[in-house]
Amino acid sequence: MSLYRSHVLICGGTGCTSSGGAKLIDEFEAQLKANGLENEVKVVKTGCFGLCALGPVVVVYPEGAFYSRVEKEDVAEIVTEHLLKGRIVKRLVYDETIAENDDTIKSLNEVDFYKKQMRVALRNCGVINPENIEEYIAFDGYKALATVLTEMTPQDVIQVIKDSNLRGRGGGGFPTGLKWDFASKSVNEQKYVCCNADEGDPGAFMDRSILEGDPHSVLEAMAIAGYAIGANQGYIYIRAEYPIAVERLEIAIKQAKEYGLLGDDIFGTGFSFDIGLRLGAGAFVCGEETALMTSIEGHRGEPRPRPPFPAVKGLWGKPTILNNVETYANIPVIINKGAEWFNTIGTEKSKGTKVFALGGKINNTGLVEIPMGTTLREIVEEIGGGVPNGKKFKAAQTGGPSGGCIPASLIDTPIDYDSLISIGSMMGSGGLIVMDEDNCMVDIAKFFLEFTVDESCGKCTPCRIGTKRLLEILDRITKGNGTLEDLDRLELLCYSIKNASLCGLGQTAPNPVLSTLRYFRDEYVAHVVDKKCPAGVCKELTNYVILEDKCKGCSACARKCPVGAISGEIKSPFTIDINKCIKCGACVETCKFNAIVKK
C-alpha cells in the first residue's frame, strides 16, 4: 500500500459537479502524472464541503489549503506550484483562510462559515471517498453495527436511542427511540425499515448531500434499526432526480454485501438484513410516510388515514419504521459515543445538531450543520456572511412549503423545534431560504401555494380544493383586485384546511400564508388598499419610471425595450409609456446610471 505525502480532496457533490468539478479529477491525475507525482499525491473524490457558493472546491492536505472556484485551467498551476514546489497558490485560496499577519493558512474551524458549525450527520462529507468502503471503515464505519450485534440486545439499542432524545429530522420531530419501540412491540413475522430520501422541499439538498458524501452511514444505521425492531429488510426511497446519490448508494450496497456487512449472518451473529432501492418520480406528497410506503408497494403515492400507524401496519400491512436520511446519519455516532454525549449538544428539548440548506439572498449559500439552539442571526450574519449588495435582511423561510416566514424582528430566535413552532414556523427537513427587502411576502406566500397546489395528490377535499381557493385569493391580491374581506377569508380558509386535511401536506400548506399574514400584514393591506406592491415585485401593481435627474439620454433603454414603450431624444431624459410597458425589467438591467426605478 502506497503512503502519500499529500492528498487532494475534490468535491464530488452535485453542486461542484455541475460547475465543472468532475473535470478537475481527471485533470489533476493527468498533471500529477506529467510531473512525476502520481505515487506521492493521492486524488480523492469526496462529498460536499458545505461552502457551495465557492465551488468547485479543492482542499489540499496536510496544509489544508482551501482552493475555491477552481477551473480546469488552474490545475496545472496548483500541481506545479503547490504540490511540486511547495508554494500555495494564493490567488485561488479562499481569502478567509489566509491569516492577515503572516499569510499562513488557517484551519477551517477558524473561518466564520465553519467555526460555529458542528458536523455530526455531515462528519464524513468532504472527508472520505464515498465510493470506497474502506475509507468509511477507517473512520469508525460499521463499528456501531458490530457493537450492537455482539454486545447489545435489541431493547438495549432502543433504550440508547431513547436516552439520546434524538428527534426525527424529517420535519415532524417525533422521538426516534419511541417510534422504534412501538415497532419492536408489534408482533409479526415480517417487519420493514424504510428510509425517506425523497426530499421534495424547494431549495433543500441536505439528504442528497449526505447520501452523496457518506452513504454507508445510512446503510449502517438502517441495519441497526432492523436489529432493534426485528426486521430483515430495508428500503431506501429516493427520488430519481438524484442520480449521483443513487449511483453511490448502489455502489455502497454492493460493497457492504461483499464485505459481509449486509446480507445473511452479519458478523456471524445470525442476524440478516438486506437493503433495496426504490426510485420515486419526484412527488412531494411521497415525503409523507404512508404515501411513501404506498409508492414503494407500486401504487400511486397517496396518504392513508392514521391510525393504524406504520409501526403497527405499514409497508404491505406489516410493522414498519420510517426515518429520513439525516436521522439515520446520527445513529452510528450515538451508538459509538453514547447517549450522554449526544445530550450535551443542543437545547433542553431539542438535542443534537440540525443540517440546513442555506440559500436565497445570502452570501455563503451552502450546507450547514449547527447545534440546536443556534440563533437565526448567527446563521444569517456569521455563518451565511450576511445579505449581499448592502440589502437589509427581511425574513427567512424555514421548513419549505410546510414552514413559515421568520421576520427580521425575530432574528434572535433560537433554531430548535419548539421555538420555531411558537412563532408560526417549523423546522421541516432543513431548507432555510433568506429574503431581503426586495422580496414581496405576498408573492412568497403565493409561490409556495403554487407549489403545494401542484403537488397535492387530490385524495382529500380540503387540500385538493382548499389550497386552490387560497391561491385564487392570493392571485387576486397580487393583481390589485383583492379586498380587505379577502384577508379574513384567507385566514378562515387556512385554519379550515389545517384542521381537515388528511396528511401533513395539506395540514401545513397554509403555514406560509398564515405566517406572512401575521408578520407582514401591512404588505397585504398595501396590495389591497393602496394597490401597490411595496417591494416592486407584483407586476400589475408596479410601474417603471425614469428619473429625469439621473437619465443621461443615452437611449440604451429605448433600444433594449422589446415593445417600444420608451421614447425620447438623445441627451435628454427619456420617458416610459406605462400603457405599453410589459414590466419585463430589461430597461433596469440595461441602464448604467441607475436612472430607472420601480414605483
Side-chain angles (χ1 to χ4, degrees):
M1 185 176 71
S2 300
L3 294 176
Y4 299 94
R5 65 173 174 83
S6 296
H7 287 75
V8 177
L9 276 56
I10 302 175
C11 175
T14 294
C16 286
T17 298
S18 65
S19 56
K23 300 176 183 177
L24 300 181
I25 297 173
D26 294 336
E27 185 65 16
F28 263 104
E29 290 177 344
Q31 290 294 332
L32 289 171
K33 187 174 183 180
N35 286 274
L37 298 174
E38 68 271 25
N39 295 321
E40 298 180 42
V41 180
K42 183 177 179 62
V43 178
V44 181
K45 177 172 63 176
T46 73
C48 181
F49 288 96
L51 198 44
C52 303
L54 299 180
V57 171
V58 174
V59 181
V60 178
Y61 287 102
E63 297 85 354
F66 190 102
Y67 291 112
S68 62
R69 298 192 178 97
V70 180
E71 298 181 4
K72 183 178 178 180
E73 293 73 23
D74 299 320
V75 173
E77 185 178 359
I78 294 174
V79 171
T80 56
E81 286 296 308
H82 185 161
L83 296 170
L84 187 62
K85 301 175 183 177
R87 297 192 293 237
I88 291 173
V89 184
K90 292 180 182 177
R91 72 174 184 86
L92 295 172
V93 174
Y94 177 36
D95 54 8
E96 286 199 23
T97 63
I98 300 178
E100 294 181 6
N101 299 329
D102 54 8
D103 287 346
T104 57
I105 297 296
K106 295 192 292 186
S107 164
L108 289 182
N109 293 329
E110 300 176 70
V111 175
D112 286 342
F113 181 79
Y114 290 103
K115 66 184 180 183
K116 287 205 171 182
Q117 293 193 49
M118 184 176 184
R119 291 166 79 90
V120 177
L122 299 176
R123 61 193 176 277
N124 291 327
C125 293
V127 177
I128 66 172
N129 180 351
E131 297 179 12
N132 187 338
I133 190 173
E134 293 184 355
E135 292 199 16
Y136 178 69
I137 292 172
F139 283 81
D140 291 334
Y142 292 102
K143 177 183 175 183
L145 179 60
T147 300
V148 162
L149 295 184
T150 61
E151 301 177 17
M152 302 172 72
T153 66
Q155 196 55 44
D156 288 339
V157 178
I158 291 172
Q159 192 59 50
V160 169
I161 303 305
K162 276 186 173 181
D163 292 343
S164 73
N165 294 299
L166 173 67
R167 296 171 66 172
R169 300 304 197 241
F174 190 80
T176 303
L178 197 58
K179 180 183 287 189
W180 291 18
D181 195 28
F182 289 153
S184 73
K185 291 175 180 176
S186 293
V187 180
N188 202 294
E189 60 183 12
Q190 180 65 59
K191 298 180 182 180
Y192 296 103
V193 173
C194 289
C195 174
N196 180 358
D198 190 57
E199 193 170 48
D201 289 5
F205 54 96
M206 303 77 57
D207 292 348
R208 185 197 75 202
S209 296
I210 292 173
L211 293 175
E212 289 176 350
D214 194 19
H216 285 284
S217 66
V218 175
L219 304 186
E220 181 179 13
M222 290 179 69
I224 291 170
Y227 175 74
I229 72 165
N232 62 10
Q233 179 65 50
Y235 291 99
I236 299 175
Y237 186 84
I238 181 170
R239 52 182 46 219
E241 292 98 324
Y242 286 178
I244 296 177
V246 171
E247 180 184 6
R248 289 179 186 166
L249 275 172
E250 290 172 342
I251 293 170
I253 291 172
K254 180 181 178 182
Q255 290 177 342
K257 289 180 178 180
E258 290 173 350
Y259 276 68
L261 300 168
L262 283 180
D264 297 329
D265 193 24
I266 300 172
F267 290 119
T269 61
F271 172 69
S272 301
F273 190 80
D274 203 356
I275 294 176
L277 296 183
R278 294 295 183 269
L279 303 188
F284 183 61
V285 73
C286 287
E288 195 276 337
E289 59 180 4
T290 60
L292 183 152
M293 293 175 195
T294 303
S295 182
I296 289 179
E297 292 169 356
H299 306 295
R300 181 181 179 187
E302 292 181 337
R304 307 167 184 167
R306 297 178 302 175
F309 291 93
V312 176
K313 187 177 180 181
L315 193 60
W316 288 296
K318 306 297 182 181
T320 306
I321 59 169
L322 174 73
N323 293 111
N324 85 322
V325 170
E326 186 184 343
T327 307
Y328 281 125
N330 280 280
I331 299 297
V333 191
I334 291 173
I335 297 295
N336 286 333
K337 295 190 175 184
E340 290 184 7
W341 169 83
F342 194 75
N343 275 284
T344 63
I345 310 166
T347 64
E348 182 181 355
K349 295 183 179 180
S350 299
K351 301 298 183 182
T353 60
K354 183 70 190 80
V355 181
F356 286 97
L358 187 59
K361 306 288 186 68
I362 193 79
N363 281 306
N364 296 334
T365 56
L367 200 67
V368 303
E369 183 172 5
I370 48 97
M372 293 279 195
T374 303
T375 66
L376 180 60
R377 183 187 298 276
E378 290 174 292
I379 295 174
V380 172
E381 295 182 358
E382 298 180 43
I383 297 173
V387 179
N389 303 318
K391 299 289 185 177
K392 293 180 180 178
F393 170 75
K394 185 173 186 177
Q397 173 85 9
T398 62
S402 303
C405 287
I406 305 173
S409 60
L410 296 176
I411 194 172
D412 291 308
T413 299
I415 302 297
D416 60 62
Y417 291 101
D418 300 317
S419 295
L420 292 181
I421 290 173
S422 70
I423 61 172
S425 187
M426 65 180 292
M427 187 80 72
S429 60
L432 201 161
I433 309 299
V434 177
M435 289 164 272
D436 68 12
E437 59 197 88
D438 292 335
N439 286 106
C440 169
M441 304 314 293
V442 184
D443 182 68
I444 290 293
K446 179 183 171 184
F447 166 79
F448 283 115
L449 250 296
E450 287 172 339
F451 179 84
T452 49
V453 166
D454 285 343
E455 295 293 336
S456 173
C457 73
K459 185 172 184 176
C460 73
T461 303
C463 180
R464 181 182 69 249
I465 298 178
T467 55
K468 286 184 179 179
R469 297 293 89 84
L470 277 181
L471 182 57
E472 288 170 359
I473 296 172
L474 287 173
D475 192 53
R476 286 203 302 270
I477 292 173
T478 57
K479 290 180 178 177
N481 299 321
T483 64
L484 288 174
E485 289 75 19
D486 280 334
L487 303 188
D488 296 328
R489 292 190 189 99
L490 274 178
E491 286 189 284
L492 178 61
L493 190 51
C494 281
Y495 287 114
S496 298
I497 295 169
K498 283 178 72 71
N499 294 329
S501 291
L502 175 62
C503 81
L505 188 152
Q507 292 162 9
T508 59
N511 284 351
V513 180
L514 286 172
S515 64
T516 51
L517 273 171
R518 178 179 179 182
Y519 297 115
F520 300 96
R521 197 177 189 90
D522 58 325
E523 289 197 30
Y524 281 87
V525 172
H527 282 69
V528 170
V529 176
D530 302 329
K531 306 300 180 185
K532 289 184 179 180
C533 175
V537 172
C538 302
K539 286 187 176 181
E540 286 81 356
L541 302 179
T542 303
N543 289 319
Y544 287 87
V545 177
I546 298 177
L547 302 175
E548 291 186 11
D549 58 331
K550 287 190 175 183
C551 181
K552 306 298 182 183
C554 68
S555 80
C557 57
R559 286 181 275 117
K560 190 70 174 180
C561 181
V563 292
I566 303 176
S567 60
E569 297 181 6
I570 298 295
K571 295 185 179 182
S572 296
F574 278 60
T575 58
I576 299 175
D577 185 340
I578 60 173
N579 295 316
K580 290 183 179 180
C581 178
I582 59 173
K583 302 165 185 175
C584 64
C587 55
V588 177
E589 296 174 4
T590 303
C591 183
K592 298 179 180 179
F593 308 104
N594 298 319
I596 306 176
V597 296
K598 291 187 284 186
K599 288 188 176 180

